[in-house]
Amino acid sequence: MKKEIRKFNPIDVELRFPIAGKLDGWYFKIEEISNGAYQVSGSDLFGRIVSKTGGDPDVTLVECIKKATEIQSQIEK
């Protein structure tokens, strides 16, 4: 029997991933994990997670959004 996946409340997701509006249905955050190294993570409302690490937070965010876009396109097929 398949288990139904519950959709999370957008307000709860945005508390953990405060960057919204970059990709519909996805939320992101940027953390400096060490001096000059950043980890960008993102989540959709179903708990799918993407993550990228890099030296430039803006570039790393763009790369993370691209990964989330790839996942989103696979889901929509």
Side-chain angles (χ1 to χ4, degrees):
M1 175 186 287
K2 288 188 175 184
K3 183 178 175 183
E4 184 178 333
I5 299 173
R6 220 171 28 120
K7 189 174 182 179
F8 293 110
N9 181 333
I11 294 169
D12 294 336
V13 175
E14 199 166 346
L15 287 173
R16 291 180 39 227
F17 298 90
I19 302 170
K22 299 291 186 180
L23 178 62
D24 191 39
W26 284 83
Y27 301 83
F28 300 91
K29 68 179 176 180
I30 300 172
E31 296 177 289
E32 188 171 21
I33 54 176
S34 68
N35 190 24
Y38 298 88
Q39 181 173 33
V40 178
S41 303
S43 177
D44 71 357
L45 297 177
F46 293 96
R48 296 178 193 98
I49 301 287
V50 294
S51 181
K52 289 285 190 178
T53 304
D56 182 326
D58 296 325
V59 171
T60 308
L61 177 61
V62 170
E63 292 172 352
C64 199
I65 292 169
K66 285 181 186 177
K67 188 64 178 172
T69 302
E70 291 173 13
I71 292 171
Q72 194 65 34
S73 68
Q74 291 173 2
I75 295 166
E76 293 173 353
K77 286 183 180 179

